[in-house]
Amino acid sequence: MTQNDDTHCEGALAALDLEFADPALLELALAHPSYSHEREAGRGNERLEFLGDAVLDLVVAQALYEAHPDWDEGDLTRTRAALVNQRTLAERARELELGRVVKLGRTEMRSGGADKDSILANCFEAIVGAIYLDAGLARAEAFVRRAYGAALASGGELGARDEKTAFQEWAHAQHRETPSYRTVADSGVEDDAKRFRVEVALGGEIWGRGAGRSKRGAERAAAADALQRRATADSPARARVERERAG
């Protein structure tokens, strides 16, 4: 490394509260391809980003698996996807102020690259990869858990931000009420794809019904059913047809 690289690396280590046996790995993790291309020094942090992505998936998957023993595969998959998508990774990177230490080419720097979601997310993944190579999985896991904080334990709120959230937002806007969910049946069979049956109500009226292997999955199915009814309610012509059918 050059003297400038040494100074930059020391600043990055201090800012991120990290220790590296091989500081060159951190320097590489912080080097966006645009920076390396200008210096004809390879492809920057792309390979570390690839490795960090795999490590991050493993760490987050294990954390969710341990924190939520009642979740099924679908719950775990959706939540992991929400926790490792570009927007969420960029949020973690901003909290760590990676924009201050990432190394960019002149064009990216002028275009505000230090605050682009894609660049920040990739940099975060590259740092995870660098820590893994430098100190192993345990150290990489500790870094990820520190960066995510309580989000790994409460990740259900992110993973479930789909039909339930969409219906709740509509209910608040149109009716100023919060939907309520009630489990009406439980087969007790662990592998039953429709073990739980749930109803969602709004203003005392049933708006949707759903079934699933977990209560959370059944609630999402009920919300999806309610959203279908909402689409009808939002259309005057369809609402009239529904009233005629009901009458």
Side-chain angles (χ1 to χ4, degrees):
M1 292 189 293
T2 66
Q3 184 174 0
N4 286 340
D5 285 337
D6 286 336
T7 302
H8 181 271
C9 188
E10 290 173 4
L13 287 169
L16 298 173
D17 190 23
L18 292 174
E19 294 182 1
F20 270 77
D22 181 6
L25 281 170
L26 177 60
E27 277 298 304
L28 182 59
L30 297 173
H32 186 259
S34 64
Y35 176 89
S36 298
H37 178 72
E38 285 185 0
R39 288 154 180 76
E40 298 182 353
R43 301 187 61 86
N45 62 10
E46 288 182 344
R47 284 169 54 83
L48 283 177
E49 173 202 336
F50 165 80
L51 180 60
D53 175 68
V55 174
L56 191 61
D57 270 352
L58 173 61
V59 170
V60 171
Q62 180 178 343
L64 293 174
Y65 183 88
E66 294 171 349
H68 303 285
D70 58 323
W71 285 11
D72 61 23
E73 180 186 4
D75 295 324
L76 294 168
T77 299
R78 277 184 291 271
T79 305
R80 181 184 60 183
L83 287 170
V84 300
N85 66 25
Q86 184 180 98
R87 178 183 58 81
T88 303
L89 292 179
E91 289 176 359
R92 302 282 82 76
R94 288 190 178 93
E95 290 172 358
L96 294 171
E97 299 186 335
L98 291 188
R100 294 173 49 197
V101 292
V102 64
K103 297 189 292 186
L104 303 171
R106 289 185 294 272
T107 300
E108 279 293 355
M109 195 176 300
R110 287 195 296 268
S111 66
D115 195 45
K116 288 182 179 178
D117 280 3
S118 58
I119 290 176
L120 291 174
N122 292 348
C123 185
F124 182 87
E125 289 179 326
I127 288 175
V128 172
I131 295 172
Y132 172 75
L133 288 180
D134 188 72
L137 182 59
R139 187 71 63 82
E141 179 181 359
F143 172 77
V144 172
R145 287 182 180 272
R146 175 166 65 90
Y148 273 88
L152 287 177
S154 63
E157 296 177 4
L158 291 170
R161 187 173 175 77
D162 40 43
E163 294 92 344
K164 286 184 66 176
T165 299
F167 182 55
Q168 179 170 301
E169 289 175 348
W170 176 82
H172 285 171
Q174 299 296 321
H175 297 274
R176 299 183 184 278
E177 293 187 19
T178 298
S180 60
Y181 293 83
R182 182 173 71 95
T183 301
V184 296
D186 175 0
S187 70
V189 180
E190 186 172 347
D191 294 329
D192 183 1
K194 296 184 177 181
R195 172 178 173 175
F196 295 97
R197 296 184 181 275
V198 169
E199 294 178 342
V200 57
L202 193 61
E205 181 182 357
I206 302 299
W207 270 70
R209 295 179 173 86
R213 182 175 283 107
S214 67
K215 288 184 180 180
R216 190 178 297 274
E219 288 175 355
R220 281 197 299 269
D225 186 42
L227 288 171
Q228 290 294 323
R229 177 175 173 179
R230 182 207 67 179
T232 299
D234 286 345
S235 167
R238 289 181 181 178
R240 184 175 62 253
V241 170
E242 288 295 318
R243 286 197 299 271
E244 290 174 354
R245 287 177 178 174

PDB file of all heavy atoms in Angstrom, residues 2 11 18 25 31 77 92 109-110 117 119 123 127 145 151-152 155 162 204 209 212 227:
ATOM      1  N   THR A   2       0.353   2.303  -0.605  1.00  0.00           N
ATOM      2  CA  THR A   2       1.059   3.573  -0.581  1.00  0.00           C
ATOM      3  C   THR A   2       0.816   4.252   0.755  1.00  0.00           C
ATOM      4  O   THR A   2      -0.011   3.816   1.564  1.00  0.00           O
ATOM      5  CB  THR A   2       0.561   4.488  -1.706  1.00  0.00           C
ATOM      6  OG1 THR A   2      -0.810   4.840  -1.438  1.00  0.00           O
ATOM      7  CG2 THR A   2       0.646   3.807  -3.057  1.00  0.00           C
ATOM      8  N   GLY A  11      -7.800   5.433   8.951  1.00  0.00           N
ATOM      9  CA  GLY A  11      -9.037   6.182   9.193  1.00  0.00           C
ATOM     10  C   GLY A  11     -10.258   5.299   9.110  1.00  0.00           C
ATOM     11  O   GLY A  11     -11.195   5.421   9.910  1.00  0.00           O
ATOM     12  N   LEU A  18     -12.829  -1.502  13.633  1.00  0.00           N
ATOM     13  CA  LEU A  18     -12.415  -2.825  13.187  1.00  0.00           C
ATOM     14  C   LEU A  18     -10.915  -3.009  13.368  1.00  0.00           C
ATOM     15  O   LEU A  18     -10.155  -2.034  13.418  1.00  0.00           O
ATOM     16  CB  LEU A  18     -12.758  -3.019  11.706  1.00  0.00           C
ATOM     17  CG  LEU A  18     -14.236  -3.105  11.326  1.00  0.00           C
ATOM     18  CD1 LEU A  18     -14.376  -3.149   9.815  1.00  0.00           C
ATOM     19  CD2 LEU A  18     -14.882  -4.334  11.953  1.00  0.00           C
ATOM     20  N   LEU A  25      -6.811  -6.072   2.906  1.00  0.00           N
ATOM     21  CA  LEU A  25      -8.143  -6.608   2.595  1.00  0.00           C
ATOM     22  C   LEU A  25      -9.222  -5.541   2.785  1.00  0.00           C
ATOM     23  O   LEU A  25     -10.149  -5.447   1.994  1.00  0.00           O
ATOM     24  CB  LEU A  25      -8.446  -7.820   3.489  1.00  0.00           C
ATOM     25  CG  LEU A  25      -7.809  -9.144   3.077  1.00  0.00           C
ATOM     26  CD1 LEU A  25      -7.989 -10.185   4.182  1.00  0.00           C
ATOM     27  CD2 LEU A  25      -8.420  -9.645   1.767  1.00  0.00           C
ATOM     28  N   ALA A  31     -12.597  -0.270  -2.087  1.00  0.00           N
ATOM     29  CA  ALA A  31     -12.257   0.234  -3.419  1.00  0.00           C
ATOM     30  C   ALA A  31     -13.353  -0.107  -4.426  1.00  0.00           C
ATOM     31  O   ALA A  31     -13.473  -1.249  -4.880  1.00  0.00           O
ATOM     32  CB  ALA A  31     -10.922  -0.341  -3.873  1.00  0.00           C
ATOM     33  N   THR A  77     -37.430 -17.300   4.583  1.00  0.00           N
ATOM     34  CA  THR A  77     -36.923 -16.855   3.277  1.00  0.00           C
ATOM     35  C   THR A  77     -37.299 -15.414   2.993  1.00  0.00           C
ATOM     36  O   THR A  77     -36.462 -14.607   2.558  1.00  0.00           O
ATOM     37  CB  THR A  77     -37.473 -17.760   2.163  1.00  0.00           C
ATOM     38  OG1 THR A  77     -37.035 -19.103   2.380  1.00  0.00           O
ATOM     39  CG2 THR A  77     -36.986 -17.293   0.790  1.00  0.00           C
ATOM     40  N   ARG A  92     -27.678  -0.029   6.483  1.00  0.00           N
ATOM     41  CA  ARG A  92     -26.621  -0.451   7.411  1.00  0.00           C
ATOM     42  C   ARG A  92     -25.323   0.302   7.103  1.00  0.00           C
ATOM     43  O   ARG A  92     -24.603   0.730   7.996  1.00  0.00           O
ATOM     44  CB  ARG A  92     -26.367  -1.959   7.285  1.00  0.00           C
ATOM     45  CG  ARG A  92     -27.562  -2.865   7.533  1.00  0.00           C
ATOM     46  CD  ARG A  92     -27.864  -3.030   9.000  1.00  0.00           C
ATOM     47  NE  ARG A  92     -28.646  -1.936   9.533  1.00  0.00           N
ATOM     48  CZ  ARG A  92     -29.959  -1.787   9.322  1.00  0.00           C
ATOM     49  NH1 ARG A  92     -30.628  -2.646   8.597  1.00  0.00           N
ATOM     50  NH2 ARG A  92     -30.614  -0.774   9.856  1.00  0.00           N
ATOM     51  N   MET A 109     -17.579   9.978  -7.920  1.00  0.00           N
ATOM     52  CA  MET A 109     -17.517  10.943  -6.832  1.00  0.00           C
ATOM     53  C   MET A 109     -18.328  12.189  -7.166  1.00  0.00           C
ATOM     54  O   MET A 109     -19.090  12.703  -6.339  1.00  0.00           O
ATOM     55  CB  MET A 109     -16.060  11.319  -6.548  1.00  0.00           C
ATOM     56  CG  MET A 109     -15.832  12.031  -5.228  1.00  0.00           C
ATOM     57  SD  MET A 109     -14.078  12.333  -4.911  1.00  0.00           S
ATOM     58  CE  MET A 109     -13.453  10.650  -4.910  1.00  0.00           C
ATOM     59  N   ARG A 110     -18.199  12.656  -8.406  1.00  0.00           N
ATOM     60  CA  ARG A 110     -18.944  13.855  -8.818  1.00  0.00           C
ATOM     61  C   ARG A 110     -20.445  13.611  -8.884  1.00  0.00           C
ATOM     62  O   ARG A 110     -21.239  14.530  -8.677  1.00  0.00           O
ATOM     63  CB  ARG A 110     -18.430  14.343 -10.185  1.00  0.00           C
ATOM     64  CG  ARG A 110     -17.066  15.013 -10.142  1.00  0.00           C
ATOM     65  CD  ARG A 110     -16.805  15.776 -11.428  1.00  0.00           C
ATOM     66  NE  ARG A 110     -16.752  14.884 -12.574  1.00  0.00           N
ATOM     67  CZ  ARG A 110     -15.625  14.329 -13.054  1.00  0.00           C
ATOM     68  NH1 ARG A 110     -14.465  14.589 -12.469  1.00  0.00           N
ATOM     69  NH2 ARG A 110     -15.659  13.525 -14.095  1.00  0.00           N
ATOM     70  N   ASP A 117     -27.339   3.831  -3.116  1.00  0.00           N
ATOM     71  CA  ASP A 117     -27.663   2.562  -2.457  1.00  0.00           C
ATOM     72  C   ASP A 117     -26.808   1.419  -2.981  1.00  0.00           C
ATOM     73  O   ASP A 117     -26.309   0.593  -2.204  1.00  0.00           O
ATOM     74  CB  ASP A 117     -29.139   2.224  -2.662  1.00  0.00           C
ATOM     75  CG  ASP A 117     -30.046   2.974  -1.710  1.00  0.00           C
ATOM     76  OD1 ASP A 117     -29.545   3.802  -0.922  1.00  0.00           O
ATOM     77  OD2 ASP A 117     -31.266   2.735  -1.754  1.00  0.00           O
ATOM     78  N   ILE A 119     -23.825   1.305  -4.419  1.00  0.00           N
ATOM     79  CA  ILE A 119     -22.419   1.365  -4.031  1.00  0.00           C
ATOM     80  C   ILE A 119     -22.254   1.063  -2.547  1.00  0.00           C
ATOM     81  O   ILE A 119     -21.371   0.302  -2.131  1.00  0.00           O
ATOM     82  CB  ILE A 119     -21.825   2.734  -4.382  1.00  0.00           C
ATOM     83  CG1 ILE A 119     -21.696   2.860  -5.907  1.00  0.00           C
ATOM     84  CG2 ILE A 119     -20.469   2.943  -3.710  1.00  0.00           C
ATOM     85  CD1 ILE A 119     -21.202   4.215  -6.388  1.00  0.00           C
ATOM     86  N   CYS A 123     -20.403  -2.206  -0.922  1.00  0.00           N
ATOM     87  CA  CYS A 123     -19.275  -1.968  -0.024  1.00  0.00           C
ATOM     88  C   CYS A 123     -19.469  -2.706   1.295  1.00  0.00           C
ATOM     89  O   CYS A 123     -18.531  -3.308   1.832  1.00  0.00           O
ATOM     90  CB  CYS A 123     -19.113  -0.468   0.209  1.00  0.00           C
ATOM     91  SG  CYS A 123     -17.665  -0.023   1.182  1.00  0.00           S
ATOM     92  N   ILE A 127     -17.001  -5.632   2.767  1.00  0.00           N
ATOM     93  CA  ILE A 127     -16.366  -5.586   4.085  1.00  0.00           C
ATOM     94  C   ILE A 127     -16.622  -6.891   4.844  1.00  0.00           C
ATOM     95  O   ILE A 127     -15.728  -7.430   5.498  1.00  0.00           O
ATOM     96  CB  ILE A 127     -16.870  -4.376   4.887  1.00  0.00           C
ATOM     97  CG1 ILE A 127     -16.297  -3.082   4.299  1.00  0.00           C
ATOM     98  CG2 ILE A 127     -16.491  -4.490   6.362  1.00  0.00           C
ATOM     99  CD1 ILE A 127     -16.821  -1.821   4.926  1.00  0.00           C
ATOM    100  N   ARG A 145     -23.915  -8.929  13.169  1.00  0.00           N
ATOM    101  CA  ARG A 145     -24.868  -8.780  14.269  1.00  0.00           C
ATOM    102  C   ARG A 145     -24.771  -7.392  14.892  1.00  0.00           C
ATOM    103  O   ARG A 145     -25.779  -6.807  15.279  1.00  0.00           O
ATOM    104  CB  ARG A 145     -24.628  -9.862  15.324  1.00  0.00           C
ATOM    105  CG  ARG A 145     -25.076 -11.253  14.885  1.00  0.00           C
ATOM    106  CD  ARG A 145     -24.851 -12.281  15.987  1.00  0.00           C
ATOM    107  NE  ARG A 145     -25.276 -13.620  15.611  1.00  0.00           N
ATOM    108  CZ  ARG A 145     -26.509 -14.096  15.768  1.00  0.00           C
ATOM    109  NH1 ARG A 145     -27.449 -13.320  16.294  1.00  0.00           N
ATOM    110  NH2 ARG A 145     -26.812 -15.327  15.403  1.00  0.00           N
ATOM    111  N   ALA A 151     -32.495  -5.694  14.631  1.00  0.00           N
ATOM    112  CA  ALA A 151     -33.259  -6.025  13.427  1.00  0.00           C
ATOM    113  C   ALA A 151     -33.291  -7.518  13.152  1.00  0.00           C
ATOM    114  O   ALA A 151     -34.261  -8.035  12.607  1.00  0.00           O
ATOM    115  CB  ALA A 151     -32.687  -5.288  12.220  1.00  0.00           C
ATOM    116  N   LEU A 152     -32.236  -8.235  13.529  1.00  0.00           N
ATOM    117  CA  LEU A 152     -32.216  -9.676  13.288  1.00  0.00           C
ATOM    118  C   LEU A 152     -33.254 -10.393  14.145  1.00  0.00           C
ATOM    119  O   LEU A 152     -33.832 -11.390  13.727  1.00  0.00           O
ATOM    120  CB  LEU A 152     -30.828 -10.243  13.573  1.00  0.00           C
ATOM    121  CG  LEU A 152     -29.748  -9.909  12.540  1.00  0.00           C
ATOM    122  CD1 LEU A 152     -28.415 -10.485  12.987  1.00  0.00           C
ATOM    123  CD2 LEU A 152     -30.119 -10.435  11.171  1.00  0.00           C
ATOM    124  N   GLY A 155     -36.855  -9.168  12.854  1.00  0.00           N
ATOM    125  CA  GLY A 155     -36.913  -9.129  11.398  1.00  0.00           C
ATOM    126  C   GLY A 155     -38.261  -9.483  10.821  1.00  0.00           C
ATOM    127  O   GLY A 155     -38.529  -9.190   9.652  1.00  0.00           O
ATOM    128  N   ASP A 162     -45.805  -7.146   3.549  1.00  0.00           N
ATOM    129  CA  ASP A 162     -46.352  -7.475   2.249  1.00  0.00           C
ATOM    130  C   ASP A 162     -47.855  -7.280   2.299  1.00  0.00           C
ATOM    131  O   ASP A 162     -48.330  -6.158   2.467  1.00  0.00           O
ATOM    132  CB  ASP A 162     -45.963  -8.898   1.833  1.00  0.00           C
ATOM    133  CG  ASP A 162     -46.035  -9.871   3.016  1.00  0.00           C
ATOM    134  OD1 ASP A 162     -46.996  -9.808   3.786  1.00  0.00           O
ATOM    135  OD2 ASP A 162     -45.129 -10.694   3.151  1.00  0.00           O
ATOM    136  N   GLY A 204     -65.443  -5.043  12.928  1.00  0.00           N
ATOM    137  CA  GLY A 204     -66.338  -6.123  13.320  1.00  0.00           C
ATOM    138  C   GLY A 204     -66.810  -6.977  12.172  1.00  0.00           C
ATOM    139  O   GLY A 204     -67.546  -7.947  12.380  1.00  0.00           O
ATOM    140  N   ARG A 209     -60.254 -14.441   4.635  1.00  0.00           N
ATOM    141  CA  ARG A 209     -59.933 -15.691   5.303  1.00  0.00           C
ATOM    142  C   ARG A 209     -58.722 -16.307   4.610  1.00  0.00           C
ATOM    143  O   ARG A 209     -58.557 -16.165   3.392  1.00  0.00           O
ATOM    144  CB  ARG A 209     -61.108 -16.668   5.261  1.00  0.00           C
ATOM    145  CG  ARG A 209     -62.340 -16.194   6.032  1.00  0.00           C
ATOM    146  CD  ARG A 209     -63.485 -17.198   5.933  1.00  0.00           C
ATOM    147  NE  ARG A 209     -64.599 -16.839   6.804  1.00  0.00           N
ATOM    148  CZ  ARG A 209     -65.568 -16.006   6.452  1.00  0.00           C
ATOM    149  NH1 ARG A 209     -65.556 -15.443   5.239  1.00  0.00           N
ATOM    150  NH2 ARG A 209     -66.543 -15.720   7.296  1.00  0.00           N
ATOM    151  N   GLY A 212     -52.622 -21.515   6.347  1.00  0.00           N
ATOM    152  CA  GLY A 212     -51.187 -21.659   6.144  1.00  0.00           C
ATOM    153  C   GLY A 212     -50.573 -22.606   7.145  1.00  0.00           C
ATOM    154  O   GLY A 212     -51.203 -22.968   8.148  1.00  0.00           O
ATOM    155  N   LEU A 227     -57.420  -8.036   0.501  1.00  0.00           N
ATOM    156  CA  LEU A 227     -57.006  -7.089  -0.536  1.00  0.00           C
ATOM    157  C   LEU A 227     -57.814  -7.285  -1.811  1.00  0.00           C
ATOM    158  O   LEU A 227     -58.090  -6.316  -2.534  1.00  0.00           O
ATOM    159  CB  LEU A 227     -55.507  -7.248  -0.832  1.00  0.00           C
ATOM    160  CG  LEU A 227     -54.564  -6.728   0.255  1.00  0.00           C
ATOM    161  CD1 LEU A 227     -53.132  -7.130  -0.055  1.00  0.00           C
ATOM    162  CD2 LEU A 227     -54.669  -5.208   0.371  1.00  0.00           C
TER     163      LEU A 227
END
